[in-house]
Amino acid sequence: MLYVLGVLLAVLGIGLSIALHEIGHLVPAKRFGVRVPQYMVGFGPTIWSRRRGETEYGVKAIPLGGYIRMIGMFPPAKDQAEGTMRSSSTGRMSQLIEETRQQALEEVQPGDDGRMFYQLPIWKRIVVMLGGPVMNLLIALVLFTGIFTLHGITVTTPTISSVNECVDIKQMGQQAATECTDDMPVAPANAAGLKPGDTITAINGAPVTTWTDVRTAIRDNLDEPLTMQVEREGTTRTLTADPIVLDMPVYTDDGQVERDASGELVTERAGFLGASGSREVEQQPITAVPGLFGDALADTYGLLVKIPQKLVGVAEAAFGSAERDPNGPMSVVGVGRVAGEVASSDVFGDTSDKAILLLSLMGSLNLVLFAFNTIPLLPLDGGHVAGALWEAVKKGWAKVRGLPDPGPVDVAKAMPLAYVVAVAFIGMTLLLVYADIVKPVRLT
């Protein structure tokens, strides 16, 4: 029952995200006077619709997206009068482009002059096309702001959770040895008398407030004697340690181990103490939200860049014996299955913890929708924005040189590429849906 509830909540969240995305297009389009015959959530057969004014609002059967239909998305050809159709074109690509223009013109009615999308000023067209992605960005910002400030994020604090008994110098990362042998040196933290529950407040006289501060100070100290001020049971003590120098992994700014192009760990010679900080959830101040949200957005774009590589792994998992990457792409089917798993499993904590995970999932989904739709390729929103920006460049250059206005950019000429992109997206979607059915991502 809880699994089904999780899936239903995911479907509702995905539907609302799509609906609000399209509202982000609809509102400015109507405000700028563009005639919008349709606003639809989903694709395929229409489940429900109702007409209000000149717009039909509805829901379709396949929840893989949505759209609004605006009049005049494509301008007529330069040798074609507005509101008329050219008699013929030669060549398959030319015919495809002309068919696109004709389909757009078939919807034009008397009185639509001045209400067609391509007739809008460039800045208004950009506002309309960015309205959808920006809506997803705002949804993600609201969700993550609440999570960061009201619930908090998991951080590693300078409070010690464990102290290594000895050091296996042959082991990459120098984690605690499973069993200590006579040839393994005593961990410097253990020799110094550091204990679980101690909170490190200063190293070599310099205050530390985060585990990153502690780790950096220890690594940079190499094998020089090191003094630590620690709080233990309400009292402050000074401990002296003699770190050892080992090949240690290099960490990125967000605390992840750094890997080179071949996937191997990047290492450096650094000081090692042999203690671990505590993982705790800490509420963040509102001033920390821009940085945290910016990191999440940058990570999302980073994942988009890696999608072709990730899809190879998805295919190997779907059609072979490989396991799915939990950090890889998934379809709406996968999102629903993950939501159901979170809702039904006790591994993810109590009800409030599960709610936070589900809200994080929806926030991440909206970041993906924002980033994906800003890719400058038709038929995505970013493709139309790119066309408008190119038109602005052409008109600006013509004005500087004293040339006649070149008119609107003929976006219809990019439709052959748009069909290729659309086919690629459909193929990617089918692969992900299939993989999410036969070899889903599992968090437990």
Side-chain angles (χ1 to χ4, degrees):
M1 182 63 183
L2 288 177
Y3 185 91
V4 174
L5 178 61
V7 172
L8 291 176
L9 288 175
V11 171
L12 178 62
I14 292 169
L16 285 174
S17 298
I18 295 171
L20 291 171
H21 174 100
E22 298 307 330
I23 286 175
H25 292 308
L26 179 72
V27 171
K30 281 183 167 289
R31 188 169 183 82
F32 295 150
V34 178
R35 185 164 71 84
V36 184
Q38 270 193 327
Y39 164 95
M40 289 288 168
V41 176
F43 297 110
T46 300
I47 298 174
W48 170 89
S49 71
R50 177 173 297 176
R51 179 170 294 278
R52 293 189 61 182
E54 61 187 15
T55 304
E56 178 190 11
Y57 300 84
V59 177
K60 290 182 175 288
I62 306 173
L64 295 179
Y67 65 92
I68 66 169
R69 201 168 83 245
M70 294 182 286
I71 296 301
M73 285 296 294
F74 303 103
K78 288 187 177 181
D79 59 347
Q80 177 184 2
E82 292 190 4
T84 65
M85 299 181 185
R86 299 177 72 182
S87 57
S88 64
S89 296
T90 59
R92 185 69 193 96
M93 291 297 102
S94 296
Q95 289 179 0
L96 181 62
I97 294 168
E98 190 57 34
E99 287 171 3
T100 300
R101 289 199 189 98
Q102 290 180 359
Q103 289 172 2
L105 287 171
E106 285 173 357
E107 298 178 324
V108 177
Q109 299 176 355
D112 281 342
D113 187 33
R115 300 192 65 194
M116 290 181 276
F117 177 74
Y118 77 86
Q119 294 176 322
L120 290 177
I122 292 173
W123 72 269
K124 289 186 177 181
R125 274 180 273 158
I126 293 175
V127 168
V128 171
M129 297 316 299
L130 284 182
V134 168
M135 182 65 79
N136 293 125
L137 185 68
L138 291 175
I139 294 170
L141 179 60
V142 169
L143 290 175
F144 280 120
T145 297
I147 292 170
F148 294 153
T149 59
L150 300 179
H151 177 263
I153 62 174
T154 302
V155 298
T156 306
T157 69
T159 299
I160 303 302
S161 63
S162 63
V163 177
N164 295 3
E165 182 178 349
C166 57
V167 182
D168 183 355
I169 60 175
K170 300 177 182 178
Q171 184 174 331
M172 177 59 68
Q174 317 310 330
Q175 301 300 315
T178 305
E179 292 183 4
C180 292
T181 61
D182 293 339
D183 61 339
M184 295 182 184
V186 176
N190 187 16
L194 198 63
K195 298 179 180 294
D198 290 350
T199 299
I200 301 175
T201 58
I203 293 181
N204 290 335
V208 291
T209 57
T210 68
W211 185 250
T212 300
D213 294 339
V214 174
R215 182 172 58 201
T216 301
I218 295 170
R219 292 169 73 102
D220 293 346
N221 193 77
L222 298 176
D223 56 357
E224 296 296 322
L226 175 147
T227 59
M228 297 176 289
Q229 283 187 333
V230 302
E231 289 186 0
R232 180 185 299 169
E233 298 177 350
T235 62
T236 300
R237 305 183 181 207
T238 300
L239 304 178
T240 301
D242 294 308
I244 56 178
V245 175
L246 300 170
D247 289 322
M248 301 290 293
V250 175
Y251 289 87
T252 62
D253 292 338
D254 58 357
Q256 303 297 314
V257 292
E258 187 174 331
R259 296 181 181 273
D260 59 22
S262 62
E264 296 295 323
L265 284 174
V266 177
T267 63
E268 64 180 3
R269 298 292 285 175
F272 175 76
L273 203 60
S276 301
S278 299
R279 303 278 287 175
E280 299 177 5
V281 175
E282 287 187 355
Q283 291 181 336
Q284 302 297 301
I286 192 70
T287 54
V289 170
L292 293 170
F293 188 73
D295 290 342
L297 183 58
D299 290 343
T300 302
Y301 274 108
L303 289 174
L304 281 185
V305 172
K306 297 177 182 177
I307 276 185
Q309 174 188 347
K310 296 283 188 180
L311 287 177
V312 173
V314 172
E316 291 175 347
F319 300 104
S321 59
E323 292 298 320
R324 287 286 297 276
D325 178 3
N327 296 316
M330 66 179 75
S331 69
V332 292
V333 174
V335 172
R337 296 191 70 152
V338 167
E341 186 178 343
V342 168
S344 60
S345 175
D346 294 333
V347 173
F348 301 101
D350 57 21
T351 302
S352 62
D353 293 329
K354 294 177 182 180
I356 293 298
L357 280 174
L358 291 175
L359 289 174
S360 297
L361 185 64
M362 288 300 106
S364 298
L365 171 67
N366 277 276
L367 281 181
V368 170
L369 288 174
F370 169 78
F372 188 74
N373 278 285
T374 54
I375 296 174
L377 291 173
L378 288 175
L380 300 173
D381 299 331
H384 290 282
V385 172
L389 291 175
W390 177 236
E391 181 177 325
V393 170
K394 289 183 65 177
K395 288 186 174 182
W397 180 243
K399 186 175 181 180
V400 168
R401 298 183 62 192
L403 300 175
D405 188 331
V409 166
D410 192 358
V411 183
K413 289 183 178 179
M415 287 311 294
L417 174 61
Y419 282 115
V420 172
V421 173
V423 169
F425 289 160
I426 292 171
M428 179 183 71
T429 300
L430 292 176
L431 171 62
L432 291 174
V433 169
Y434 177 76
D436 288 334
I437 293 173
V438 301
K439 188 71 73 69
V441 172
R442 299 194 183 277
L443 303 182
T444 56

